[in-house]
Amino acid sequence: MQDTAPLVVGIDVGGTKTQLRAFAGDTLVADHVRSSSGWRPHDPVAAAGWLAALAADALPAGARPSALAVGGHACETPRQCAQIRTALQLHFDAPALVMGDAELLVPAAGLDKGVGLVAGTGSVAVGRFADGTPVQVGGWGALLGDEGGAAGLVREAVRAVWAAHDRGEEPDPLALGLLSGFDVPEVPALGAALEHATAASAEWGRHAPAVFAAAEAGSPLARTVIAEAGRALAGLVERLAARGVVVDDVVVAGSTVLAQPSLYDAFASALADGVPSARPRPLRAPPVDGAVAMARSLL
């Protein structure tokens, strides 16, 4: 196999699942999906070892990559990604790239430049300056940010329900949905339910469907939360534009924004107001295709 065509490996390490695809020329050699459990991007040596073990499990016995590209969840700075890439050299004698997973979106869409916007459990937007330097905005996690992602939506929904409770209003469909989901008897108990989560992003985020269900049931609170989440996502793109990033094409991905038309429409409307030149483009290909494209660029 290695004598006929170079083996290129692309890996998308998402917050929940990881996908590896490998090609020898145009021939698909491996397409492997597994949980992202154990991914530790803030420990470069551990992260590199995790990636090497993944490749060993997914690739045919004896296969040696000619080029490797990785998009890693929570790989947040160029320095952090460079440290993982350096550690990878202990495992692979091949050129490699390591970047944040949102950076896979633009090449996955077949574009040379643009913005990648993810709103899944969390939210983040990435682009590049004219000199190629990557820049990221958002992605601060469920406690501090991630507006427009599932966890951020739930956090803001609880805040909205609390405010309504403080105004003396009776629980509406949003409050009732959250009370049922968190299995607590009254609105004040929602705070403790959030605080007791051991993995805030995942545990909060799984309640996001209740926000959209409440909006469909007519809850003004839920509709406001969704509209503000859409504006927050558009605000990430505006922030990149203000820093000089070209934002003409905005490739959008994520299990929350693409699965919920009300959120996507709120984002698109706010983007048209804030950055009229920007074109939102829902990603139709899997992000791992962007990793494969980046690996091919190393040959």
Side-chain angles (χ1 to χ4, degrees):
M1 178 174 62
Q2 294 297 104
D3 292 337
T4 58
L7 179 65
V8 297
V9 178
I11 303 175
D12 169 31
V13 186
T16 302
K17 69 181 180 72
T18 291
Q19 184 169 12
L20 178 150
R21 277 190 180 171
F23 287 84
D26 294 328
T27 301
L28 180 65
V29 173
D31 190 358
H32 178 79
V33 178
R34 58 162 288 180
S35 166
S36 296
S37 176
W39 171 244
R40 295 165 55 194
H42 296 284
D43 182 338
V45 173
W50 189 91
L51 292 167
L54 168 67
D57 288 342
L59 297 176
R64 298 179 61 184
S66 300
L68 175 75
V70 179
H73 173 71
C75 192
E76 296 163 335
T77 69
R79 178 183 179 185
Q80 180 188 1
C81 293
Q83 289 174 334
I84 297 174
R85 182 184 60 80
T86 298
L88 272 176
Q89 301 305 306
L90 299 174
H91 302 276
F92 300 105
D93 183 20
L97 282 174
V98 179
M99 64 202 82
D101 57 343
E103 291 191 63
L104 301 181
L105 305 188
V106 170
L111 300 174
D112 294 326
K113 59 183 178 179
V115 169
L117 174 73
V118 178
T121 302
S123 63
V124 67
V126 298
R128 289 184 179 269
F129 293 123
D131 65 359
T133 302
V135 56
Q136 171 180 309
V137 296
W140 295 108
L143 298 181
L144 299 177
D146 281 356
E147 292 84 355
L153 276 160
V154 172
R155 184 193 63 232
E156 295 308 308
V158 170
R159 288 171 59 89
V161 165
W162 270 353
H165 176 80
D166 286 349
R167 292 192 296 269
E169 299 173 11
E170 290 297 315
D172 82 334
L174 179 59
L176 295 175
L178 292 173
L179 292 175
S180 175
F182 282 100
D183 193 24
V184 294
E186 53 188 352
V187 168
L190 287 170
L194 292 186
E195 290 176 354
H196 289 162
T198 55
S201 289
E203 293 181 35
W204 297 1
R206 66 185 178 87
H207 297 286
V211 180
F212 296 101
E216 291 179 4
S219 166
L221 289 179
R223 291 174 178 174
T224 297
V225 168
I226 293 167
E228 291 179 350
R231 284 193 289 270
L233 292 175
L236 296 177
V237 181
E238 292 182 45
R239 213 169 299 161
L240 288 172
R243 295 181 64 178
V245 173
V246 176
V247 299
D248 292 344
D249 290 292
V250 181
V251 182
V252 184
S255 57
T256 301
V257 68
L258 294 186
Q260 300 292 345
S262 59
L263 177 59
Y264 184 89
D265 291 346
F267 157 71
S269 176
L271 185 66
D273 290 340
V275 191
S277 64
R279 297 180 295 269
R281 301 167 56 119
L283 182 64
R284 302 306 182 192
V288 72
D289 283 358
V292 172
M294 297 302 291
R296 290 191 190 279
S297 74
L298 297 174
L299 297 176

